[in-house]
């Protein structure tokens, strides 16, 4: 029997681990010797940010919850490291699987490698080149300590090779986040605000903002909301508000009548909104991938992206961080001039299955 730790910590991790759990369970049913321990670091802990996703995506209860909670960058990362190190001292797996680029990814990869546990990084190799993002530092450091890489794109493969990683450690399996979308797409359902706001297909936009550069300064956040309000031609904008953003939010209903702030939504409800929206305005990375697969125009309020195929192949466009640049892009959207977009290679719902096949071979030889 070979055991692996599967690490989840923050909201965007959960849609990446769900299909891995499914694929491992399927492998076990056909007699695979792979067992897993699901470790939740506790980085996200509100029901709406964590448990709701476990329920909707059918992820089993974590075997361990490290309950690290919130904190400044170093504080949060350190809490996770200390707690995960203690866990490994009691029971060491044969492999630690980390996903994405959040602080939990960074913390557990470092601890595992130092404890002599090999590390596999799911979504390895992506790079924005923007070192002001904590996620970019997490990506670079996690990749530096990882043994194996499960990648989502050809660009990620190239980035890793350029960093000196040999091709036999890189496995281009596709995008596990898209596995989740493909599986749940038939079951997406409208959120409660659908009826309350009288929403209709293509008759509204979806907005998400949570990057420190966009939301930590209340004046900047206000400037974005102002520009969005002025450029949506009266259409409602549904704005599920991340807890980080909520702290700095002016009461939008007063100042920005088009913008409807709602609580963070479940997976099925959020992606229903995206699927039927006229467009998505976001500073997230994962949402640009989902919008691409759903074929919905996506305007990204960042200067760079670690997911360039959402721009070169998909429906995404980088607007930048200057609110003045939003208006011309919205003019093109409303003129019906947005590009069509296609689906990037191997974003087909089978990534986790391919990944587990590789893991079985790697661990059989370990
Ligand atoms: C984290 C990830 C980011 C990801 C985002 C998605 C890092 C560096 N960042 O950012 O890549 O896109 O998750 O959500 O790992 N809070 C709550 N309830 C919770 C969780 C957080 O109220 O369940 C509040 C806390 O006050 C906390 C703040 O939100 O201080 C930020 O949480 P944190 O985990 O530090 O970073 P995110 O901004 O969520």
């Amino acid at each position: 029997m070979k055991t692996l730790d599967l690490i989840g910590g923050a909201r965007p991790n959960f849609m990446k681990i769900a299909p891995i759990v499914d694929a491992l369970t399927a492998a076990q049913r056909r007699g695979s010797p792979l067992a897993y321990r699901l470790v939740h670091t506790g980085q996200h802990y509100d029901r709406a940010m964590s448990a709701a996703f476990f329920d909707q995506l059918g992820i089993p209860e974590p075997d361990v919850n490290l309950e690290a909670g919130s904190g400044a960058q170093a504080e949060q990362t350190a809490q996770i490291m200390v707690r995960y190190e203690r866990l490994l001292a009691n029971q060491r797996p044969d492999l630690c699987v980390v996903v994405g680029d959040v602080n939990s990814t960074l913390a557990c990869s470092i601890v595992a490698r130092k404890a002599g546990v090999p590390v596999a990084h799911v979504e390895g190799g992506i790079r924005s080149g923007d070192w002001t993002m904590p996620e970019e530092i997490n990506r670079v450091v996690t990749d530096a300590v990882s043994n194996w890489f499960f990648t989502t794109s050809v660009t990620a493969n190239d980035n890793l090779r350029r960093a000196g990683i040999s091709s036999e450690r890189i496995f281009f399996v596709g995008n596990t986040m898209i596995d989740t979308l493909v599986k749940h797409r038939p079951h997406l359902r409208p959120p409660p605000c659908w009826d309350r706001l009288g929403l209709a297909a293509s008759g509204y936009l979806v907005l998400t903002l949570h990057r420190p550069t966009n939301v930590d300064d209340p004046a900047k956040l206000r400037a974005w909301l102002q520009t969005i309000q002025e450029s949506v031609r009266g259409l409602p904008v549904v704005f599920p508000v991340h807890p980080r953003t909520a702290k700095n939010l002016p009461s939008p209903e007063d100042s920005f009548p088009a913008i409807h702030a709602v609580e963070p939504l479940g997976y099925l409800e959020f992606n229903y909104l995206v699927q039927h929206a006229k467009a998505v305005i976001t500073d997230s990375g994962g949402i640009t991938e989902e919008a691409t697969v759903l074929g919905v125009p996506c305007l990204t309020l960042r200067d760079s992206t670690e997911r360039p195929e959402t721009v070169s192949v998909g429906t995404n466009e980088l607007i930048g961080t200057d609110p003045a640049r939003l208006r011309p892009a919205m003019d093109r959207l409303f003129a019906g001039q947005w590009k069509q977009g296609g689906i990037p290679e191997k974003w087909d719902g089978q990534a986790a299955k391919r990944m587990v096949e590789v893991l079985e071979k790697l661990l059989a030889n370990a």
Side-chain angles (χ1 to χ4, degrees):
M1 191 61 110
K2 298 285 183 183
T3 58
L4 52 92
D5 273 358
L6 187 52
I7 311 292
R11 183 170 61 177
N13 288 167
F14 306 138
M15 32 299 232
K16 294 170 194 166
I17 62 171
I20 302 174
V21 169
D22 285 349
L24 285 168
T25 308
Q28 284 166 350
R29 275 202 213 103
R30 54 174 170 69
S32 164
L34 283 187
Y36 72 92
R37 171 170 71 175
L38 190 54
V39 179
H40 193 318
T41 64
Q43 177 174 345
H44 284 175
Y45 43 83
D46 284 353
R47 185 172 162 77
M49 300 294 288
S50 176
F53 287 82
F54 277 68
D55 291 350
Q56 287 197 344
L57 303 181
I59 310 171
E61 277 287 302
D63 297 293
V64 181
N65 192 324
L66 301 176
E67 295 180 351
S70 298
Q73 292 290 321
E75 194 182 348
Q76 184 178 61
T77 307
Q79 278 300 332
I80 301 168
M81 288 180 77
V82 168
R83 291 164 191 228
Y84 188 50
E85 187 172 56
R86 283 193 200 125
L87 184 70
L88 290 189
N90 285 333
Q91 201 189 340
R92 262 169 50 118
D94 297 294
L95 177 71
C96 172
V97 177
V98 295
V99 301
D101 54 19
V102 302
N103 287 345
S104 302
T105 314
L106 170 77
C108 293
S109 62
I110 294 175
V111 168
R113 191 70 200 259
K114 283 196 169 181
V117 175
V119 177
H121 186 197
V122 177
E123 204 186 81
I126 64 173
R127 296 285 184 273
S128 67
D130 178 356
W131 285 77
T132 66
M133 290 173 68
E135 292 82 0
E136 183 70 356
I137 297 166
N138 294 346
R139 289 178 199 120
V140 171
V141 178
T142 301
D143 284 344
V145 299
S146 292
N147 301 70
W148 295 307
F149 305 86
F150 292 100
T151 59
T152 52
S153 69
V154 174
T155 322
N157 302 340
D158 292 343
N159 291 337
L160 290 169
R161 283 197 206 99
R162 217 173 301 125
I165 290 158
S166 57
S167 296
E168 61 270 22
R169 292 164 62 199
I170 304 169
F171 302 95
F172 176 28
V173 292
N175 193 326
T176 63
M177 192 170 195
I178 299 307
D179 290 4
T180 292
L181 186 60
V182 169
K183 177 178 173 185
H184 293 279
R185 194 170 179 173
H187 315 294
L188 301 180
R189 60 190 190 206
C193 64
W194 184 269
D195 287 337
R196 183 165 50 79
L197 299 174
L199 302 179
S202 302
Y204 65 94
L205 290 88
V206 178
L207 169 66
T208 81
L209 286 172
H210 76 291
R211 296 268 161 231
T213 46
N214 282 328
V215 307
D216 281 2
D217 173 7
K220 180 73 184 280
L221 178 57
R222 225 188 143 75
W224 274 125
L225 297 179
Q226 184 72 43
T227 308
I228 292 165
Q229 162 77 37
E230 288 164 5
S231 58
V232 291
R233 290 145 169 87
L235 288 189
V237 179
V238 186
F239 181 23
V241 180
H242 186 284
R244 177 178 204 108
T245 313
K247 290 178 189 163
N248 289 330
L249 199 62
S251 43
E253 311 282 343
D254 300 341
S255 336
F256 310 109
I259 299 177
H260 301 275
V262 299
E263 295 292 311
L265 296 173
Y267 181 82
L268 301 176
E269 292 81 4
F270 181 74
N271 281 290
Y272 183 95
L273 273 190
V274 172
Q275 183 175 31
H276 297 284
K278 181 166 186 66
V280 178
I281 305 174
T282 188
D283 61 6
S284 158
I287 292 170
T288 66
E289 297 185 340
E290 290 164 342
T292 281
V293 170
L294 294 170
V296 173
C298 183
L299 295 84
T300 294
L301 308 186
R302 289 172 50 191
D303 292 315
S304 60
T305 176
E306 60 289 340
R307 295 162 164 91
E309 56 289 338
T310 62
V311 177
S312 58
V313 179
T315 54
N316 186 25
E317 192 173 311
L318 291 179
I319 304 302
T321 49
D322 175 2
R325 285 181 50 194
L326 183 64
R327 219 180 290 247
M330 294 293 268
D331 289 343
R332 275 188 288 115
L333 174 74
F334 279 93
Q337 290 167 355
W338 206 262
K339 60 186 168 179
Q340 281 298 314
I343 311 275
E345 191 183 348
K346 295 195 189 177
W347 291 18
D348 58 359
Q350 302 297 315
K353 189 165 161 274
R354 287 191 280 263
M355 180 188 149
V356 169
E357 282 164 9
V358 174
L359 282 179
E360 285 181 299
K361 286 190 198 125
L362 287 175
L363 288 172
N365 300 328

